[in-house]
């Protein structure tokens, strides 16, 4: 259910460029006991790090289609904002954590964040016209502001469709995502309200823990945003920019 065949492995290398390639890699590792002599696949994951895995040529891999969450099953007061920090992660591993946590709780619109990845001195800034003067110090304060403005403060529940999350420079993680709305009220034109954001996360040096120290949100498309499928089709996975749509 909700599964898509993404690759049938043959004797020649196959390049896969999908947003959910990490799932492929994990499932591939479970198949290593079937290693044969001449079958290989090169996977380019969401950070575009080449990985070469060997398995039997008859194997077919299946992974869930990309999805986005609209969860409101957890209250912000249930989050341990003083939880131990995930120290010592390099930028690539931090990118994995940011990617996975956004997909799990859509904290970019719900505020149901993952404090273990963010420094105590975290600073949020927005380049959005309506939020041009917003500067928030502290990850919990940021999450509560997001929850009050984008989630609870909205007449229609927002949906965060994460298109791309990649390491784009030294100590820099970039996420491209689409803000849409789900409503049963036919008088609300949710497509006109949809936007495309580019969020830039800066991490500290590895010897300082590698935590996220700042986030800047920039609106790339302010209204009538393309669908998630169109954004994925046009996205430059190295920069997380939908260049042909801008």
């Amino acid at each position: 259910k909700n599964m898509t065949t993404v690759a049938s492995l043959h004797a020649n290398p196959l390049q896969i460029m999908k947003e959910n390639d990490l799932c492929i890699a994990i499932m591939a590792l479970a198949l290593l006991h079937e290693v044969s002599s001449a079958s290989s696949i090169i996977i380019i994951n969401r950070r575009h790090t080449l990985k070469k895995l060997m398995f039997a040529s008859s194997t077919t891999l299946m992974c869930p289609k990309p999805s986005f969450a609209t969860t409101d099953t957890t209250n912000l007061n249930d989050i341990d904002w003083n939880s131990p920090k995930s120290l010592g992660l390099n930028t690539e591993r931090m990118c994995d954590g940011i990617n996975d946590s956004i997909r799990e709780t859509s904290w970019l619109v719900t505020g149901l964040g993952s404090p273990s990845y963010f420094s105590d001195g975290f600073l949020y800034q927005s380049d959005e016209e309506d939020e041009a003067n917003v500067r928030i110090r502290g990850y919990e304060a940021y999450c509560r502001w997001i929850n009050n403005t984008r989630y609870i403060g909205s007449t229609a529940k927002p949906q965060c469709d994460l298109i791309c999350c990649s390491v784009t420079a030294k100590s820099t993680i970039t996420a491209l995502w689409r803000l849409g709305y789900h409503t049963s009220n036919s008088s609300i034109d949710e497509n006109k309200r949809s936007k495309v954001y580019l969020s830039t996360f800066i991490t500290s040096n590895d010897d300082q823990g590698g935590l996220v120290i700042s986030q800047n949100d920039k609106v790339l498309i302010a209204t009538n945003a393309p669908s998630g499928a169109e954004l994925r089709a046009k996205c430059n996975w190295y920069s997380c920019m939908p260049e042909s749509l801008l």
Side-chain angles (χ1 to χ4, degrees):
K1 185 178 179 180
N2 195 33
M3 302 287 276
T4 303
T5 301
V6 294
S8 294
L9 306 184
H10 302 288
N12 295 324
L14 176 68
Q15 285 191 331
I16 300 176
M17 298 184 71
K18 292 288 187 180
E19 185 67 12
N20 57 346
D21 283 333
L22 185 59
C23 175
I24 299 172
I26 293 172
M27 297 182 72
L29 291 174
L31 299 170
L32 287 178
H33 67 281
E34 297 181 11
V35 169
S36 65
S37 58
S39 299
S40 66
I41 179 171
I42 295 176
I43 294 176
I44 304 180
N45 68 13
R46 57 176 166 268
R47 299 186 314 275
H48 306 283
T49 302
L50 293 178
K51 296 183 179 181
K52 186 172 183 179
L53 304 173
M54 307 292 295
F55 354 81
S57 60
S58 60
T59 303
T60 297
L61 295 181
M62 302 178 74
C63 277
K65 296 176 181 178
S67 61
F68 47 85
T70 56
T71 179
D72 57 358
T73 59
T74 303
N75 188 286
L76 266 67
N77 292 326
D78 295 330
I79 296 174
D80 182 3
W81 298 104
N82 296 312
S83 60
K85 300 298 184 183
S86 299
L87 300 173
L89 300 181
N90 60 26
T91 311
E92 286 74 19
R93 292 180 63 195
M94 180 60 74
C95 182
D96 284 339
I98 296 297
N99 176 88
D100 296 343
S101 63
I102 293 173
R103 293 185 184 283
E104 182 178 356
T105 66
S106 292
W107 54 260
L108 289 167
V109 297
T110 64
L112 302 177
S114 298
S116 64
Y117 298 128
F118 294 81
S119 71
D120 292 335
F122 170 79
L123 176 65
Y124 171 79
Q125 299 182 82
S126 174
D127 290 342
E128 187 169 359
E129 183 175 350
D130 295 340
E131 304 170 0
N133 296 319
V134 172
R135 286 171 56 91
I136 301 174
R137 181 72 68 177
Y139 185 66
E140 180 181 358
Y142 155 74
C143 287
R144 292 188 180 279
W145 176 78
I146 288 292
N147 186 263
N148 286 328
T149 56
R150 290 183 183 166
Y151 196 63
I152 295 177
S154 175
T155 56
K157 292 305 180 185
Q159 298 175 323
C160 173
D161 187 0
L162 182 62
I163 307 301
C164 172
C165 187
S166 296
V167 175
T168 53
K170 179 178 173 59
S171 301
T172 303
I173 298 167
T174 302
L176 176 71
W177 54 284
R178 182 184 188 275
L179 172 63
Y181 293 89
H182 175 75
T183 177
S184 58
N185 186 346
S186 58
S187 65
I188 299 177
D189 188 340
E190 63 178 272
N191 188 56
K192 286 184 178 180
R193 299 176 59 194
S194 61
K195 301 179 181 181
V196 176
Y197 283 84
L198 196 72
S199 294
T200 302
F201 305 91
I202 303 299
T203 64
S204 63
N205 295 331
D206 292 347
D207 59 0
Q208 297 176 328
L211 297 173
V212 176
I213 58 176
S214 70
Q215 174 186 340
N216 181 274
D217 283 358
K218 179 179 181 180
V219 177
L220 297 183
I221 300 175
T223 186
N224 291 311
S227 67
E230 186 175 358
L231 288 168
R232 288 184 177 87
K234 302 295 185 180
C235 183
N236 179 324
W237 301 106
Y238 294 95
S239 65
C240 277
M241 289 285 287
E243 296 171 346
S244 61
L245 295 176
L246 299 180

